[in-house]
Amino acid sequence: MTELDNSEKTLCETLITILEPGEIPLTFVYHNRSIPVRPIATALLQWGYDRDSLAHDLWKRSTDSPRKIEMLRKLLRACNASMVLPSAESGFVPRRPRTWQEVRSKFLQSDDLKASVISWTKDFYLDLLLTIMGPSQTPAASDRSTATRNQTAFKRKLFDRDGVVSLIGGVLDAYPPPPGMIHFSTASLQAAHIIPFSANSHPELRKALSIFAGRPMECLLTGSQINDPSNGLLLDVLTHQLFGSFRFGIECRNKTYRLRKLYPDRQLTEMLARYNDGEELLFGWKSHLVPKPSELLCNVHLALGHVVRESNAFPMILAILRDEEDFNAGNTNGDYWLATGASYLERKLRGLAASNYSDTDGPDEEGRLDKGNHVVTAG
């Protein structure tokens, strides 16, 4: 750490400082894999859509008992200028000549705080990142015809809004184009969800997204709303896969949509490489009567992309999802089967435990900020 000042830091800045690399290990184990806590927690606090909401949630976890609060006060007594613990309303000021490096070491002497940081990070890793990048649940046989009709109607609305050529990639849907239609290739386009359809059946994901976004997301991601055109894009298969793995996103500011590449062109498709980072996308050119992509959902997706990139979480998440796929296909055995099965069951039980979550459990209405044009940008 190079900063040796005594400046006041906000709650979010204080937590980021505490999480800077140090000698004390912070990890949790999942699928017999050791997952590092610091890069994930730091990325959430630095790149989350509502960083204050995430910081408040972590601090609430760390101070949810009188014993935890008293221990923190005792540890910080020698270096706290104001004797007031950080909160959403007040920051933290080191007592001179103490530095932030000393403050950080004091914080991490609290086993309760370390355990809180680890459990909080694990919750967001499993409930948000792993779940949102996992496969969607296959509908039951009795529901498949309804699901197919809903998906067909969803795609038809996107055609009505944007025409038969995808705005990202310039791919024409596989039937004869209108005269004069400019396109690069022909393929069957897919109706892609900005926030995946799986959010409809994963209450733990909706709960985590509500904290991540700083506002209730329940009503936007359940029932018919999950298939609303405001949550949809027309994409070819490969571009859909890259969008779902957060290789690129869409930035929305003042009703203007721009493509944002989160990785170099060599890690994207040739079609995506044709576009410049920040190139404008003109949704709704065919019909202004069909809702355009939601600015909130686009920016939340982009913020998630920044978190995945900055935490370098993608390779480990991909490995875990492959483990679970092998487990479900019966391709594992022995101790590996037991470890994978136990972790997979844990994640499924988390979803059941979150099924009682409602918007009343999410961020308070008074505490939410109007972030309609909030965009995560490089510092």
Side-chain angles (χ1 to χ4, degrees):
M1 180 176 177
T2 58
E3 184 178 22
L4 297 174
D5 64 25
N6 304 91
S7 61
E8 179 177 2
K9 293 185 184 295
T10 65
L11 175 60
C12 189
E13 292 168 341
T14 297
L15 292 170
I16 290 172
T17 301
I18 293 169
L19 289 165
E20 288 180 354
E23 297 178 357
I24 300 176
L26 295 175
T27 61
F28 64 88
V29 176
Y30 187 76
H31 274 233
N32 268 1
R33 302 173 188 272
S34 180
I35 313 293
V37 164
R38 282 187 172 92
I40 299 167
T42 300
L44 284 165
L45 293 170
Q46 288 183 327
W47 294 96
Y49 181 83
D50 190 327
R51 287 159 280 190
D52 291 335
S53 173
L54 287 160
H56 179 71
D57 190 65
L58 172 52
W59 191 246
K60 183 172 65 174
R61 179 83 62 94
S62 304
T63 57
D64 59 4
S65 73
R67 186 175 67 85
K68 289 183 180 181
I69 294 172
E70 182 56 33
M71 178 58 70
L72 280 172
R73 289 190 187 280
K74 182 178 178 180
L75 289 170
L76 296 173
R77 189 168 292 132
C79 56
N80 188 349
S82 63
M83 291 310 299
V84 176
L85 291 179
S87 68
E89 293 76 31
S90 63
F92 186 94
V93 186
R95 175 183 295 168
R96 294 181 184 276
R98 303 287 183 176
T99 66
W100 271 103
Q101 189 170 12
E102 294 171 290
V103 171
R104 182 184 61 183
S105 67
K106 288 291 185 181
F107 267 99
L108 292 178
Q109 288 178 27
S110 167
D111 291 336
D112 283 333
L113 180 61
K114 286 187 292 185
S116 297
V117 170
I118 291 171
S119 67
W120 181 84
T121 304
K122 182 178 181 180
D123 285 352
F124 275 92
Y125 187 83
L126 299 185
D127 297 345
L128 179 61
L129 301 182
L130 195 57
T131 303
I132 205 168
M133 295 181 71
S136 295
Q137 183 175 347
T138 303
S142 59
D143 297 331
R144 285 175 191 165
S145 60
T146 300
T148 300
R149 287 196 301 272
N150 290 342
Q151 185 69 7
T152 300
F154 181 45
K155 186 175 181 179
R156 187 180 301 116
K157 291 176 184 177
L158 298 179
F159 279 139
D160 291 342
R161 183 186 73 194
D162 298 327
V164 294
V165 176
S166 62
L167 294 181
I168 302 173
V171 177
L172 173 72
D173 195 61
Y175 58 79
M181 177 66 70
I182 298 174
H183 63 284
F184 295 111
S185 61
T186 302
S188 180
L189 293 179
Q190 296 183 338
H193 292 82
I194 299 170
I195 301 299
F197 182 80
S198 58
N200 185 54
S201 57
H202 285 280
E204 77 280 14
L205 173 57
R206 299 194 300 271
K207 178 179 178 180
L209 278 170
S210 295
I211 299 169
F212 185 85
R215 63 187 67 194
M217 300 289 282
E218 189 82 10
C219 62
L220 297 176
L221 302 174
T222 53
S224 62
Q225 285 300 114
I226 194 70
N227 284 326
D228 190 84
S230 62
N231 188 35
L233 308 169
L234 285 171
L235 299 173
D236 64 272
V237 174
L238 289 178
T239 307
H240 190 178
Q241 291 174 353
L242 291 176
F243 187 74
S245 57
F246 300 99
R247 314 306 272 185
F248 74 96
I250 298 172
E251 173 190 274
C252 304
R253 189 195 297 270
N254 298 324
K255 299 183 180 180
T256 300
Y257 301 84
R258 299 188 185 278
L259 178 73
R260 288 299 178 194
K261 299 178 181 179
L262 296 171
Y263 292 84
D265 285 344
R266 65 179 181 275
Q267 298 184 35
L268 305 175
T269 61
E270 182 180 347
M271 285 184 291
L272 270 177
R274 294 192 187 105
Y275 293 79
N276 296 318
D277 183 56
E279 189 163 334
E280 186 173 355
L281 303 170
L282 301 176
F283 293 102
W285 68 269
K286 184 178 179 184
S287 173
H288 65 278
L289 299 178
V290 181
K292 294 182 181 180
S294 161
E295 294 192 20
L296 171 64
L297 298 183
C298 285
N299 288 330
V300 166
H301 177 277
L302 181 61
L304 284 166
H306 281 293
V307 170
V308 171
R309 183 190 65 186
E310 296 301 318
S311 65
N312 195 30
F314 181 75
M316 187 71 77
I317 288 175
L318 185 61
I320 290 173
L321 292 175
R322 285 174 176 168
D323 286 349
E324 293 184 352
E325 184 178 349
D326 288 342
F327 172 79
N328 286 325
N331 295 330
T332 58
N333 52 55
D335 292 342
Y336 186 71
W337 182 89
L338 289 174
T340 302
S343 296
Y344 184 66
L345 178 61
E346 175 191 354
R347 193 152 71 88
K348 293 302 179 183
L349 290 175
R350 295 171 73 89
L352 292 175
S355 62
N356 292 326
Y357 170 77
S358 67
D359 286 338
T360 57
D361 301 313
D364 294 336
E365 186 73 30
E366 296 178 357
R368 292 196 301 271
L369 301 177
D370 182 8
K371 294 178 178 284
N373 291 322
H374 178 87
V375 179
V376 178
T377 56

